[in-house]
Amino acid sequence: MLNYRLVVRNVGLLLIALSLAMLVAAGVEYGVFLGDLSGAGLERDMLAVRAQLVAGLTGLCLGAAMWVIGRGEDAFLGRREALLLVALSWLVGAALAGLPYWLWARFTVEHHPGHPFESFVSCYFEAMSGLTTTGATVLSQVDPGPTGLPRGLLFWRALTHWLGGLGIVVLFVAVLPTLGVGGKKLFQVEATGPTAQGVRPRIRETARILWLIYLGLTIVQTIVLKLCGLTWFDAVCHTFATLATGGFGTRNASVAAFDSVYVDVTVILFMILAGANFGLYYQMIRGRIRDVWADPELRLYLAILAIASLVVVGSLIEQRIISPTGVDVEPSVGAAVRHGVCQVVSIQTTTGFVTADYDHWHFVPKAVLVLLMFFGGCAGSTAGGIKVIRILIAAKVMLAEVERVFRPNVVRSIKVGRAPVDPELRTATLVYIMGIIVLFLMGAFMIAVFEAHGPHADKLGILTALSASAATLNNIGPGLELVGAVQNYGWFSTPSKIVMCILMALGRLEVYAIFVLFMPSFWRAE
């Protein structure tokens, strides 16, 4: 039988951790961001501090109450409890993470009538997008100023990315030894990709090492972006969004607002690093460089990036390129390389940063970007998508089946590198890919149905519905047409936003942790 009290207790602890992060964000805003403000600007940002404090204290009280309810329960966490805990952590955590947005809109309603954050569903969408590192937003204006967001809320948006990057649940396992054996089950459920092998025998030690690597990369990128000319605020927020492969920026025009080749190159490099398996970095630290380069998934990941970049860059050399700021870029090889490579890396790593409005590109480069939306990054990375290792396994299975057509008596084992792929993993991989395709089509269908009689029904084409479904399910952020590089998701109806929130959670937790909740047998006693 499911140990509900144990799940409630641990969800409460997670809410306490998220609330403390929220209070830290409020402290940073009060202590750092308000120093150069005065008058209406200061009053407006103080309301953001107030919203975060109220939300943080509410979360602390709720989390403490849940911990008390489950206090004294056996610390053993079974498989079903781990699945339920992970699902509730993201679904409930997004509600708490969205509370500061909603409260801020309540406090400033007379100054921002009709603001998207007046709807709690829109706030939930923004928070889910942050925690799942999707980067889809309901906002049309994010620049700090009268029509945008206070810097404190922009910082909180970026921080939700960073926390969701390697997963709040993985951090939970790293810092809470009370989970004991159950910690391994929790880590395996939350970790992305078909394999969840640790870099150390103890799972808590594995989670801690991964987070230390994550933190180290965060510090390095922040310093590099600062040296590129960004303020500390912009450097920190864009580092959080890059390493988490999230994409929430502090400017309406994303990273294009800085118009800096150095910033673009830095972001491209760290997006590539974030899309690779973090376990490989531990192997590099131990001096196993040869083993890292021999990793078949890494080599395919880099090959896909290189080939896709060549195709897109070649298609853009003579093409008009428009910046998200609306400025025409002079056609040249340099411009094609800069913007083509950035968009390829951004989409495949599911980050969603934009340096060009790719909706104006012709069919070939857009088709490549759509394909990359589904490929995603490596297993064990912060990226979304199907994952390169699954693409590799599926390709090998398909080639093996083709060979069986003309050589039926040949029995050949399928290997990834030197490791054989057992039949169970083959089946799981193919089922997962098929499940993603089915969910993608179902999501697009439901969005199209819900918007059929909405204010944008005359503009909503099938490409918008399909790309909105793909971009949220694969945790990309921007799609095509009405959800393109310079668009947002604020115009969707409430039912469509709820569907896309579910798609984001499904993509981040790789389907099964959410799907099992709809199976009656999951809830029955054994």
Side-chain angles (χ1 to χ4, degrees):
M1 182 176 181
L2 272 169
N3 191 336
Y4 293 103
R5 289 182 61 189
L6 176 61
V7 173
V8 168
R9 185 186 72 179
N10 285 306
V11 170
L13 289 173
L14 192 68
L15 292 183
I16 290 173
L18 193 59
S19 300
L20 291 174
M22 197 179 299
L23 294 175
V24 168
V28 170
E29 180 178 11
Y30 183 80
V32 179
F33 301 152
L34 300 183
D36 58 349
L37 295 176
S38 60
L42 178 61
E43 179 184 357
R44 181 171 164 277
D45 278 40
M46 279 299 296
L47 291 175
V49 174
R50 177 184 167 192
Q52 287 175 289
L53 288 175
V54 172
L57 292 174
T58 300
L60 281 177
C61 293
L62 178 61
M66 295 174 72
W67 181 82
V68 170
I69 290 174
R71 187 175 57 180
E73 282 298 301
D74 184 4
F76 178 77
L77 195 69
R79 181 73 178 176
R80 292 196 299 167
E81 285 82 6
L83 286 163
L84 181 58
L85 174 55
V86 168
L88 289 179
S89 295
W90 290 93
L91 298 176
V92 177
L96 177 60
L99 190 57
Y101 306 139
W102 185 77
L103 290 173
W104 174 77
R106 298 291 96 190
F107 296 156
T108 63
V109 65
E110 67 276 9
H111 303 298
H112 299 88
H115 194 281
F117 283 166
E118 289 184 11
S119 163
F120 188 76
V121 171
S122 293
C123 297
Y124 188 83
F125 181 99
E126 197 81 6
M128 180 65 79
S129 179
L131 290 174
T132 58
T133 72
T134 302
T137 182
V138 298
L139 301 172
S140 59
Q141 297 286 332
V142 297
D143 284 339
T147 60
L149 288 183
R151 283 180 290 182
L153 291 186
L154 289 174
F155 180 75
W156 173 241
R157 284 205 325 160
L159 185 58
T160 58
H161 268 346
W162 193 78
L163 291 172
L166 278 183
I168 297 176
V169 179
V170 175
L171 176 62
F172 191 50
V173 173
V175 300
L176 287 181
T178 55
L179 286 178
V181 177
K184 184 171 184 178
K185 295 184 176 67
L186 189 59
F187 183 89
Q188 289 174 336
V189 170
E190 205 284 328
T192 59
T195 59
Q197 296 176 354
V199 295
R200 294 293 298 273
R202 296 184 59 186
I203 202 69
R204 192 161 62 94
E205 185 67 13
T206 295
R208 183 182 291 113
I209 289 172
L210 293 178
W211 268 95
L212 287 174
I213 294 171
Y214 192 50
L215 179 61
L217 289 173
T218 299
I219 294 171
V220 172
Q221 187 186 350
T222 301
I223 294 173
V224 173
L225 286 178
K226 175 60 179 174
L227 294 175
C228 291
L230 271 61
T231 64
W232 283 113
F233 170 73
D234 287 326
V236 169
C237 288
H238 283 84
T239 293
F240 285 174
T242 302
L243 289 177
T245 64
F248 276 156
T250 60
R251 298 290 187 273
N252 296 334
S254 190
V255 292
F258 304 111
D259 193 22
S260 168
V261 175
Y262 300 108
V263 171
D264 292 351
V265 171
T266 299
V267 168
I268 289 170
L269 173 62
F270 280 92
M271 284 192 294
I272 293 173
L273 292 175
N277 189 329
F278 272 62
L280 296 178
Y281 300 136
Y282 178 73
Q283 301 300 331
M284 291 179 65
I285 293 171
R286 297 182 64 189
R288 297 182 176 178
I289 307 297
R290 185 175 298 178
D291 291 344
V292 171
W293 178 242
D295 182 75
E297 184 187 26
L298 176 65
R299 299 176 79 164
L300 180 58
Y301 166 66
L302 296 176
I304 292 172
L305 285 174
I307 294 170
S309 295
L310 286 173
V311 173
V312 171
V313 169
S315 302
L316 293 180
I317 290 177
E318 299 296 331
Q319 174 145 352
R320 179 189 182 198
I321 298 176
I322 301 177
S323 166
T325 58
V327 177
D328 275 9
V329 179
E330 187 70 25
S332 67
V333 174
V337 171
R338 175 183 175 184
H339 298 290
V341 172
C342 187
Q343 290 313 137
V344 165
V345 174
S346 178
I347 295 298
Q348 181 169 345
T349 60
T350 71
T351 307
F353 281 142
V354 292
T355 61
D357 186 356
Y358 51 78
D359 255 324
H360 293 282
W361 297 356
H362 60 72
F363 174 78
V364 172
K366 285 200 289 189
V368 171
L369 294 183
V370 171
L371 187 62
L372 294 178
M373 284 183 181
F374 288 90
F375 282 6
C378 299
S381 72
T382 61
I386 290 174
K387 299 295 185 303
V388 174
I389 187 65
R390 288 195 179 99
I391 302 298
L392 178 59
I393 293 173
K396 286 181 173 287
V397 170
M398 184 179 70
L399 290 174
E401 290 302 311
V402 170
E403 185 181 21
R404 285 184 59 190
V405 172
F406 62 90
R407 302 177 70 182
N409 296 325
V410 173
V411 178
R412 193 187 306 279
S413 64
I414 298 174
K415 294 184 178 180
V416 174
R418 297 179 180 177
V421 179
D422 60 72
E424 184 179 352
L425 180 56
R426 275 181 259 169
T427 302
T429 298
L430 297 177
V431 168
Y432 181 85
I433 294 175
M434 182 59 68
I436 288 294
I437 294 172
V438 171
L439 285 171
F440 156 64
L441 295 174
M442 287 179 58
F445 174 76
M446 294 178 71
I447 291 170
V449 168
F450 287 137
E451 300 303 320
H453 302 290
H456 293 272
D458 57 330
K459 297 180 182 179
L460 181 69
I462 187 62
L463 189 56
T464 296
L466 288 170
S467 65
S469 179
T472 49
L473 178 60
N474 294 305
N475 306 130
I476 309 290
L480 298 171
E481 291 191 343
L482 294 185
V483 292
V486 296
Q487 306 297 330
N488 64 81
Y489 289 74
W491 57 271
F492 280 105
S493 65
T494 294
S496 292
K497 289 175 183 173
I498 292 173
V499 168
M500 287 184 281
C501 284
I502 296 172
L503 289 175
M504 286 188 274
L506 285 168
R508 181 63 181 88
L509 298 179
E510 304 215 323
V511 178
Y512 299 116
I514 301 294
F515 261 15
V516 295
L517 303 184
F518 296 94
M519 297 186 64
S521 58
F522 176 81
W523 304 97
R524 287 198 294 264
E526 293 182 349

